[in-house]
Amino acid sequence: MNIQLLGISHKTAPVQIRALFAFTEEKRRSLMEALLMENGITECVVLATCNRTEIYTVSDPKVAVWQVMTAMQRCVLDAVEMDDTVDGASLLRFYKGSQAVRHLFFVAAGLDSMVMGEDQILGQVKEAHRQAMEGGFCSTYANGLFRMAVTAAKKVKTETRLSGISVSTATLAIKAAEEYIGDLDGKNVLLIGATGRIGQIVMKNMISDHSVNLYVTSRRIHSEQVNRIGTDTLAGRHCSGRHFRTTEYEVIAFEQRYGYADTMDVIISATASPHYTLTKERWEAAIVSKKPRILIDMAVPMDIEGSIDDGHMTRVCHLDDLTEVADRNQNIRLRAADQAREMLEEEIAQFERWMIFQEHLPLMRSVRDRILDDTTGKAIDKLFYRVRESASPQQLKVFYDVLEQSEKEG
């Protein structure tokens, strides 16, 4: 059997184009139905997320691969509502055989993601396989491929440090808050600089993973905008492994930040201002209650005066601290990625051996039955001689090594 892959991802197309290929569950089903009507295609699975859409097919080896790929491209482009000015075909990438197999194993393990080692893609791969199985769109070979790719990805996750090692400063800032404060759920968090790029990333990460009481401000927000409740809705579940929900947060005026400081457990500041957003003098005048607090400064130049850190209840963490951890984690992750690739190559070889074995099951049964029916032993002698005449010296050595090992094991 042949395996093919047609794909589009963050590596080949901008988000506006990828969005056209982020098929709903209903569209994925319709696409798989169309694919199985094409000549030669016997199995298919469609993986569609925000960052990639990939169509895997298994086809009859009697049908040329180029014909199968042409049919795949036609079916996919027919399913996309695209402006005539966009050359969608030029953004598609094709893989066949070992290339397609290797790609899926690397995708499932997070080695092909925007953030190397991220975990969400594994769940999306499993979901794509589940839908194809339940719809009857895949059978022996696609099931074996996806099952072994998922198993290999889980092995990478448990045996390497590829996942769970944060490398973005936004993620590390929240991690630092957790390490100092503990569980952030129910805690009061103030984000200064919420309208900036870094502030927006921190805000998204915070509300997607924690149920905090979030307050946001920036120098652009003044007293006439106070007491306003904002909402942030996470992306649909096909784009994220996180739950779909809308989170509320309170927008406060920038000049009122000290008035809220005493109730805060965590303050994160990420502005582009040349001046402090929090000074020691005004901080000490504002703080009444004694409790652990962490102030995280993600700005250059610094937003938070370092002397606010009292070495006891209030800790100040600056960007350099986070960057140092990020660099160290990145090195760990790169080493883990090399280890993961080596592991995956072994798992890919295992799948390819399984596939070759599966394809030749009828032949092996036929040979076995012929040998069992031959009481003279001539059939097995003939087999050995044919192996000798047709195999290369290296292949012949492997054959007899395996035979010898089998004899030893009884």
Side-chain angles (χ1 to χ4, degrees):
M1 305 301 286
N2 292 328
I3 294 177
Q4 297 81 209
L5 160 64
L6 176 152
I8 187 170
S9 73
H10 61 277
K11 293 183 176 181
T12 64
V15 65
Q16 295 87 348
I17 300 298
R18 297 200 307 273
L20 301 175
F21 290 82
F23 303 127
T24 63
E25 185 170 336
E26 183 180 348
K27 270 202 168 185
R28 292 198 295 271
R29 177 178 292 274
S30 298
L31 176 56
M32 287 188 283
E33 289 173 349
L35 287 166
L36 289 189
M37 293 179 65
E38 295 292 335
N39 182 37
I41 297 179
T42 58
E43 303 177 45
C44 62
V45 178
V46 176
L47 169 65
T49 74
C50 288
N51 287 328
R52 70 179 68 246
T53 295
E54 296 180 345
I55 292 86
Y56 294 84
T57 61
V58 177
S59 65
D60 188 329
K62 295 176 184 177
V63 178
V65 170
W66 70 266
Q67 289 181 305
V68 174
M69 288 186 167
T70 299
M72 291 170 66
Q73 176 177 298
R74 182 178 64 254
C75 288
V76 169
L77 293 181
D78 284 348
V80 177
E81 299 176 5
M82 188 177 294
D83 192 297
D84 292 338
T85 61
V86 179
D87 183 9
S90 67
L91 302 174
L92 301 174
R93 296 294 179 266
F94 294 90
Y95 301 92
K96 63 180 181 178
S98 294
Q99 285 181 318
V101 171
R102 179 172 287 100
H103 183 80
L104 177 60
F105 274 71
F106 278 42
V107 164
L111 285 171
D112 195 65
S113 299
M114 273 188 172
V115 178
M116 187 171 56
E118 60 96 0
D119 292 330
Q120 293 178 17
I121 187 63
L122 177 57
Q124 292 163 339
V125 169
K126 291 165 67 176
E127 174 63 18
H129 181 214
R130 182 200 61 77
Q131 183 185 0
M133 277 199 304
E134 292 182 355
F137 301 110
C138 62
S139 184
T140 303
Y141 295 101
N143 284 342
L145 172 62
F146 274 78
R147 185 181 67 251
M148 294 176 77
V150 167
T151 299
K154 290 179 179 178
K155 185 176 180 181
V156 166
K157 180 176 174 60
T158 57
E159 297 185 17
T160 75
R161 300 187 67 186
L162 184 62
S163 299
I165 301 294
S166 299
V167 293
S168 77
T169 52
T171 304
L172 288 169
I174 297 172
K175 186 70 175 176
E178 287 181 296
E179 290 177 354
Y180 189 72
I181 299 294
D183 187 358
L184 296 183
D185 287 356
K187 295 294 193 293
N188 296 324
V189 178
L190 171 61
L191 175 59
I192 303 173
T195 56
R197 184 178 65 86
I198 299 299
Q200 286 287 300
I201 295 172
V202 172
M203 184 174 169
K204 288 283 186 183
N205 288 353
M206 181 67 77
I207 65 176
S208 64
D209 291 329
H210 302 281
S211 298
V212 300
N213 303 314
L214 184 63
Y215 301 81
V216 303
T217 191
S218 76
R219 280 188 166 81
R220 300 177 186 176
I221 299 171
H222 300 291
S223 56
E224 64 271 14
Q225 298 171 295
V226 299
N227 299 323
R228 179 164 59 90
I229 300 297
T231 61
D232 193 283
T233 303
L234 297 183
R237 59 185 175 88
H238 70 284
C239 296
S240 172
R242 297 164 174 150
H243 296 295
F244 180 89
R245 69 171 184 261
T246 298
T247 299
E248 290 189 345
Y249 53 89
E250 183 173 346
V251 181
I252 67 171
F254 182 73
E255 57 266 29
Q256 293 179 338
R257 63 195 183 282
Y258 286 107
Y260 283 80
D262 188 60
T263 61
M264 293 298 121
D265 300 290
V266 180
I267 299 178
I268 301 174
S269 189
T271 76
S273 171
H275 307 295
Y276 287 134
T277 56
L278 295 175
T279 64
K280 182 178 181 180
E281 181 180 0
R282 294 195 62 184
W283 173 265
E284 290 181 341
I287 299 303
V288 177
S289 60
K290 292 185 178 181
K291 65 175 182 176
R293 295 180 178 86
I294 183 167
L295 282 57
I296 301 173
D297 187 344
M298 302 187 68
V300 177
M302 292 185 294
D303 272 352
I304 301 172
E305 192 168 2
S307 55
I308 291 176
D309 191 323
D310 60 12
H312 179 48
M313 300 296 283
T314 302
R315 179 186 174 191
V316 176
C317 179
H318 285 114
L319 183 61
D320 284 350
D321 302 318
L322 300 177
T323 302
E324 182 180 342
V325 175
D327 291 343
R328 187 163 61 246
N329 285 0
Q330 177 68 0
N331 290 332
I332 294 172
R333 180 169 281 190
L334 290 174
R335 290 195 297 271
D338 290 338
Q339 182 186 356
R341 291 186 186 97
E342 291 180 10
M343 291 172 58
L344 289 175
E345 290 298 339
E346 294 176 7
E347 299 297 323
I348 291 165
Q350 179 68 16
F351 167 76
E352 292 180 336
R353 285 193 292 269
W354 172 85
M355 188 169 179
I356 292 170
F357 187 89
Q358 199 73 27
E359 289 177 300
H360 291 87
L361 277 175
L363 174 62
M364 289 186 291
R365 291 185 183 122
S366 176
V367 171
R368 180 199 60 192
D369 292 344
R370 186 155 51 87
I371 291 172
L372 290 175
D373 290 341
D374 176 24
T375 58
T376 66
K378 288 182 179 179
I380 191 69
D381 290 341
K382 187 180 290 186
L383 174 64
F384 286 152
Y385 279 115
R386 284 184 175 174
V387 169
R388 185 193 70 178
E389 294 304 315
S390 61
S392 68
Q394 293 81 5
Q395 291 170 332
L396 195 60
K397 186 175 187 310
V398 170
F399 176 78
Y400 284 112
D401 284 346
V402 171
L403 200 63
E404 184 176 5
Q405 185 65 31
S406 298
E407 279 296 299
K408 289 179 180 178
E409 294 174 356

